[in-house]
Amino acid sequence: MNSIAVLIIGIAILAIAYVTYGKWLAGQWGVDPSKETPSHTEEDGVDYVPAKAPVLMGHHFSSIAGAGPINGPIQAAVFGWVPVLLWILIGGIFFGAVHDFGALFASIRNKGQSIGEVIASSMGTKAKKLFIIFSYLTLILVVAAFASIVANTFMATYDESGAVDLAASASNATTAMISILFILIAIAFGFLVYRRNASLGVSTILGVIAIVICMVIGLNWHPIYLSNTTWMIIVGIYITIASVTPVWILLQPRDYLSSFLLYFMMIVALVGIIGGGIATGATMDIPAFTGFKDTLAPTGSSLGYLFPALFVTIACGAISGFHSLVGSGTTAKQLDNERDARPIAYGGMLIECALAIISLCAVGYVWNEYAAGQTVTPTVVFASGISRMVSSIPGLAGTESVAYSLLVLTVSAFCLTSLDTATRLARYMFQEFWLEPGETLADATGYKKVLTNPLVATVITVVLGIGLGLTGYANIWPLFGAANQLLAALGLMGVATWLGKMGRNNKMFFIPMAFMLIVTITSLCFTLKTNFAGISAGGAGVTWCVVRAVIAALLIVLAVILAIDGIKTLTGQKKNA
């Protein structure tokens, strides 16, 4: 299949969906630009701060994207390009974008609080507590994983004598240096825009120039060489500070400027796919459909059956529960006007779908190497495919190594962005857990006042996350895909029940909600089967098999309990109507 056709048709379908379906959803739910948003009614200068739409889009998109829409499509390509493309388009338009838009809208109509509070208003306190516990534990796992990824990206490599191998460590040291400089640039940008009222346009131009300068500096001067453990501690200190720092100082400006790296990456990819396709007639070598079971297993481990593996593997890029936490966590507290909800939430998800399609084209270009197990790391596959397509364009021969390095650097930068956001979200969840429906942080007294203190909640979160990252998060990470998609199903359910309570049309949530519950429970049942087999076989890994089996069983119970509560609520609403 021609990669240019896949790209253009896919983007055209996404654009049509935004103009038609996205607009229809806004009308059905009653999006009202004249209503004040929580960023104004609850403004506190720390978490609730109005943001200009482009700035907030940068934060939201940077937070939800990261490496997710790159990893998922590349790994799922073992089933063929047709099922991957169909799930990206159908899932993105009718599942993920509805989920993200609904979560953001429900949150801004509930004082910018999380989906947990939205669930409490329609399904009760028990459902809220269960949702928040599950969401918080999922975010702890995200903090552990992303902190570990960032530390691995920054750490030095040591030779046999214990000395730093400067040549082998140069790439990581470069990434670390650029990331540090980038944080300083973001703080300066936030000060200019929010405290000196500088023009956003002029500040953006200066910010982009500064990004280029810091990349040049980092590529040529990177004196910091530290171990993995040291970087984990530094990252822990950083995210502690970042989580309680007013959003205008770091989160808003950093994510806004980070988004330009992602936009740049997508533009380079588009140029590579279209230019390279025209120049060489390149096609995707991926078969249209390989079968209902992954028999290729290029990484050495099979994904299993297409159902449910496809729908768990491609999360970001189709639908991801993490997005509902971002939308109802940080984004809702900064939304300046309700009219911005559709482009930021619905539109942001569709842009992520476009990135997922680009990733599919990238793996298609190096498919033979990927299928043979020669190049399997998703980031490397993505950077290799795009950089080779770019270098095949007449006049750009010899740019492959430069393009490759910039693409890898861009993807790595977003791990730190997602880590920062996940920590702040986990802090919000921890604080909300101790509040009764309708209560705010100002209402807390006694031990609840201590536990809902932003710094206390953050320190507890960071200690748990970094501690897990230093030990065995990798042993339970395989459960994250199913947990994330269960979070999506519960997010869909929470918004559906709330819309029903408000007397608004919520039928567009029913099929996605039911489908994601079935996908999640099926995936967890396969996990139980695999780990029971591991327990029976015995050996060194039996303890972790037991842990994974217990967690999977608990997730199934959680899904069933909340599904029953949700069905009862929706049925009761229908009868009352």
Side-chain angles (χ1 to χ4, degrees), residues 36-95:
E36 274 198 303
T37 59
S39 69
H40 295 284
T41 60
E42 311 293 325
E43 186 172 1
D44 60 7
V46 179
D47 296 317
Y48 290 86
V49 178
K52 294 178 175 65
V55 175
L56 188 55
M57 170 61 103
H59 156 69
H60 185 79
F61 188 43
S62 298
S63 298
I64 67 171
I70 292 174
N71 292 353
I74 289 173
Q75 293 171 333
V78 292
F79 295 113
W81 68 265
V82 170
V84 170
L85 182 62
L86 287 176
W87 175 233
I88 290 171
L89 294 176
I90 296 172
I93 293 168
F94 298 106
F95 288 57

Side-chain angles (χ1 to χ4, degrees), residues 426-508:
R427 189 253 288 180
Y428 292 158
M429 287 287 176
F430 188 88
Q431 290 174 297
E432 287 183 10
F433 177 81
W434 305 102
L435 302 178
E436 297 301 320
E439 279 189 337
T440 64
L441 296 179
D443 300 323
T445 58
Y447 73 93
K448 289 185 178 181
K449 190 172 185 65
V450 175
L451 292 172
T452 57
N453 178 276
L455 183 59
V456 173
T458 298
V459 169
I460 292 172
T461 298
V462 172
V463 169
L464 291 174
I466 297 298
L468 182 60
L470 286 168
T471 53
Y473 89 90
N475 290 296
I476 55 176
W477 183 252
L479 286 167
F480 176 75
N484 185 48
Q485 298 306 64
L486 174 55
L487 194 57
L490 300 180
L492 288 164
M493 181 187 300
V495 178
T497 54
W498 175 77
L499 283 170
K501 179 186 174 184
M502 296 295 104
R504 293 289 182 175
N505 184 4
N506 62 358
K507 293 181 177 61
M508 68 288 293

Side-chain angles (χ1 to χ4, degrees), residues 102-119:
L104 175 58
F105 179 65
S107 179
I108 60 177
R109 289 294 180 88
N110 284 270
K111 299 182 179 180
Q113 293 177 306
S114 74
I115 290 296
E117 288 296 329
V118 174
I119 287 176

Side-chain angles (χ1 to χ4, degrees), residues 60-66 68-69 92 95-97 99-104 115 139 315-332 344-345 348-350 352-353 421 425 480 484-485 487-488 491:
H60 185 79
F61 188 43
S62 298
S63 298
I64 67 171
F95 288 57
H99 166 269
D100 293 13
F101 189 11
L104 175 58
I115 290 296
L139 286 169
C316 292
I319 179 173
S320 168
F322 179 68
H323 294 191
S324 68
L325 302 184
V326 175
S328 69
T330 51
T331 305
I344 289 172
M349 181 64 228
L350 296 189
E352 189 177 79
C353 293
T421 301
L425 292 172
F480 176 75
N484 185 48
Q485 298 306 64
L487 194 57

Side-chain angles (χ1 to χ4, degrees), residues 193-400:
V193 173
Y194 291 100
R195 286 297 176 269
R196 287 291 178 264
N197 296 315
S199 164
L200 179 61
V202 174
S203 299
T204 299
I205 293 171
L206 293 175
V208 172
I209 293 172
I211 291 173
V212 174
I213 293 173
C214 83
M215 291 180 76
V216 172
I217 293 173
L219 287 168
N220 293 279
W221 184 64
H222 35 262
I224 303 175
Y225 295 87
L226 302 172
S227 67
N228 178 278
T229 301
T230 302
W231 274 119
M232 284 288 284
I233 294 171
I234 292 173
V235 167
I237 294 171
Y238 164 74
I239 60 178
T240 300
I241 296 171
S243 177
V244 296
T245 298
V247 292
W248 66 266
I249 292 178
L250 183 59
L251 185 135
Q252 284 182 357
R254 188 213 52 218
D255 290 358
Y256 173 62
L257 292 175
S258 293
S259 67
F260 284 93
L261 289 175
L262 192 52
Y263 301 148
F264 165 77
M265 180 178 74
M266 292 183 70
I267 290 171
V268 170
L270 289 172
V271 169
I273 294 169
I274 296 174
I278 293 173
T280 64
T283 60
M284 293 197 302
D285 293 328
I286 309 174
F289 180 60
T290 61
F292 289 100
K293 187 175 182 180
D294 170 21
T295 56
L296 290 174
T299 62
S301 178
S302 173
L303 291 180
Y305 294 97
L306 185 145
F307 184 89
L310 176 71
F311 310 101
V312 172
T313 303
I314 304 178
C316 292
I319 179 173
S320 168
F322 179 68
H323 294 191
S324 68
L325 302 184
V326 175
S328 69
T330 51
T331 305
K333 294 177 175 62
Q334 302 171 66
L335 192 77
D336 183 50
N337 191 291
E338 284 196 6
R339 67 169 167 265
D340 299 332
R342 178 163 69 107
I344 289 172
Y346 196 89
M349 181 64 228
L350 296 189
I351 295 174
E352 189 177 79
C353 293
L355 180 55
I357 294 173
I358 289 171
S359 301
L360 179 61
C361 295
V363 69
Y365 196 78
V366 293
W367 173 250
N368 292 329
E369 293 176 31
Y370 182 73
Q374 298 171 3
T375 305
V376 295
T377 303
T379 303
V380 175
V381 172
F382 178 84
S384 298
I386 298 301
S387 61
R388 290 182 195 177
M389 283 189 270
V390 170
S391 65
S392 70
I393 299 173
L396 295 180
T399 61
E400 182 179 339

